[in-house]
Amino acid sequence: MWRATYVTDTGKLYPYISLEVSDFFLPIIFTANAIRGAGFCTLPRNIQPRQAILWDTEGGEHKIEYPFRPASAEWIEFWREIRTNPLIISSKGIGEIRVIK
């Protein structure tokens, strides 16, 4: 578990949000912007955080919930680090999901 300030797609900030992270590979930009340990707050129930889903060279699947707003410098660096890692053979992102109730 890691915690960070989550920036929604609309730019709203939520500090100290818990993020579920597989420790298989963590981009440097992620560890520079997050702290190991559970957060103190949660996102509203209608927001599900963005995820990077990674597959390693042995076919294992790993997930990283990440706090960076799409197209931000951090988001670009996060995906650059993933795509240049030789241990990751495939990756995909799931965007922030807003649940309408």
Side-chain angles (χ1 to χ4, degrees), residues 33-53:
N33 287 278
I35 298 169
R36 188 179 292 273
F40 309 117
C41 301
T42 58
L43 289 170
R45 291 180 191 217
N46 67 329
I47 300 175
Q48 295 177 3
R50 294 175 286 272
Q51 288 184 14
I53 302 173

Side-chain angles (χ1 to χ4, degrees), residues 15-78:
Y16 309 111
I17 297 299
S18 291
L19 300 171
E20 292 186 35
V21 176
S22 168
D23 285 336
F24 159 72
F25 169 74
L26 293 176
I28 293 169
I29 192 70
F30 180 88
T31 59
N33 287 278
I35 298 169
R36 188 179 292 273
F40 309 117
C41 301
T42 58
L43 289 170
R45 291 180 191 217
N46 67 329
I47 300 175
Q48 295 177 3
R50 294 175 286 272
Q51 288 184 14
I53 302 173
L54 317 174
W55 288 272
D56 64 30
T57 55
E58 296 179 6
E61 182 179 294
H62 310 276
K63 295 180 183 179
I64 302 173
E65 290 181 345
Y66 62 92
F68 311 119
R69 186 176 186 186
S72 68
E74 295 87 354
W75 181 86
I76 292 167
E77 178 61 16
F78 177 82

Side-chain angles (χ1 to χ4, degrees), residues 72-90:
S72 68
E74 295 87 354
W75 181 86
I76 292 167
E77 178 61 16
F78 177 82
W79 284 103
R80 186 200 64 76
E81 288 185 51
I82 287 172
R83 290 187 179 112
T84 59
N85 186 308
L87 299 176
I88 299 170
I89 60 167
S90 182

